Amino acid sequence: QVQLLESGGGSVQTGGSLSLSCTLSGPTYGDTCMAWFRQAPGKEREGVASIALAADRSDDRTYYADAYTGRFTISRDNAETAMYLRMNNLKPEDTAMYYCAAAVSSLYCPYLRPLDFGYWGQGTQVTVSS
């Protein structure tokens, strides 16, 4: 059973930065897609960024929703047990619960659709004040 655990959320002022971490445990086979989603109160869950983990440890491929390109950076560690989201120049509208998710195929990565991801963490809150 794959388990995901997020950490690193908190409160920051406008223009500040935060880094989120997601620890992955359990078996993964073949290509895997890991991603960050977020959900603000009263809004649907939306994709932020994803990273395709190749089984042969070749180059990772990263994908971003247009709204976050340039401000957010997704990465992972070499052991494929942790994923990160670096968020810069944060704005009040970035306030949301941020979730780590995993899908069994890297083919899902470009689309950032919540329904494609079968494994989810509990979420970590990010609050940006003006």
Side-chain angles (χ1 to χ4, degrees):
Q1 180 74 11
V2 173
Q3 294 184 325
L4 303 169
L5 180 64
E6 304 95 337
S7 62
S11 297
V12 66
Q13 292 188 330
T14 298
S17 298
L18 278 175
S19 291
L20 306 182
S21 299
C22 174
T23 301
L24 169 69
S25 61
T28 57
Y29 304 102
D31 291 348
T32 301
C33 179
M34 294 188 69
W36 289 99
F37 290 81
R38 74 182 199 181
Q39 188 166 18
K43 295 187 177 181
E44 294 186 352
R45 191 167 296 188
E46 62 175 356
V48 174
S50 63
I51 185 166
L53 310 180
D56 62 357
R57 304 186 69 83
S58 58
D59 291 341
D60 292 335
R61 288 160 287 153
T62 58
Y63 304 90
Y64 296 88
D66 290 343
Y68 312 109
T69 300
R71 289 198 302 132
F72 292 7
T73 302
I74 191 171
S75 61
R76 68 170 180 98
D77 70 340
N78 289 333
E80 297 184 0
T81 58
M83 176 181 67
Y84 310 99
L85 185 69
R86 175 66 177 177
M87 304 184 293
N88 295 323
N89 191 22
L90 285 162
K91 307 172 183 179
E93 50 264 43
D94 293 318
T95 295
M97 186 73 78
Y98 284 72
Y99 296 92
C100 170
V104 297
S105 172
S106 62
L107 293 176
Y108 297 124
C109 264
Y111 308 107
L112 286 168
R113 295 180 300 222
L115 291 178
D116 292 333
F117 291 77
Y119 302 98
W120 292 85
Q122 294 299 307
T124 185
Q125 178 68 37
V126 171
T127 302
V128 185
S129 57
S130 57

